[in-house]
Amino acid sequence: MRDRFDELSETMIGMVKSFELMNETIFVQYCPMANNDRGAEWLSLSSEISNPYYGYAMLRCGEVTETLNR
């Protein structure tokens, strides 16, 4: 599942931005080491990093790159 999560996240980020699908603040987060060191983003309802790409091995690796408000 993690192998395709970057593609799903990319699609979801685009949809949220295009259709303004926000009922609350959403954070776009980024890990530079995900996706074989090509980096990858994901959406989160929290500003705290909880990296979905590496599980507990690198749970806090990443940063908030964008904040989407309603």
Side-chain angles (χ1 to χ4, degrees), residues 20-49:
E20 298 180 7
L21 302 173
M22 297 162 277
N23 291 329
E24 56 190 283
T25 300
I26 298 175
F27 301 92
V28 178
Q29 299 178 343
Y30 174 77
C31 173
M33 292 189 261
N35 200 15
N36 294 317
D37 289 329
R38 290 187 300 257
E41 296 178 310
W42 66 94
L43 294 172
S44 179
L45 296 175
S46 171
S47 62
E48 182 179 328
I49 301 298

Side-chain angles (χ1 to χ4, degrees), residues 3-16:
D3 290 338
R4 298 302 237 205
F5 189 70
D6 61 324
E7 295 171 14
L8 174 63
S9 289
E10 190 175 315
T11 299
M12 293 300 296
I13 291 167
M15 287 176 57
V16 168

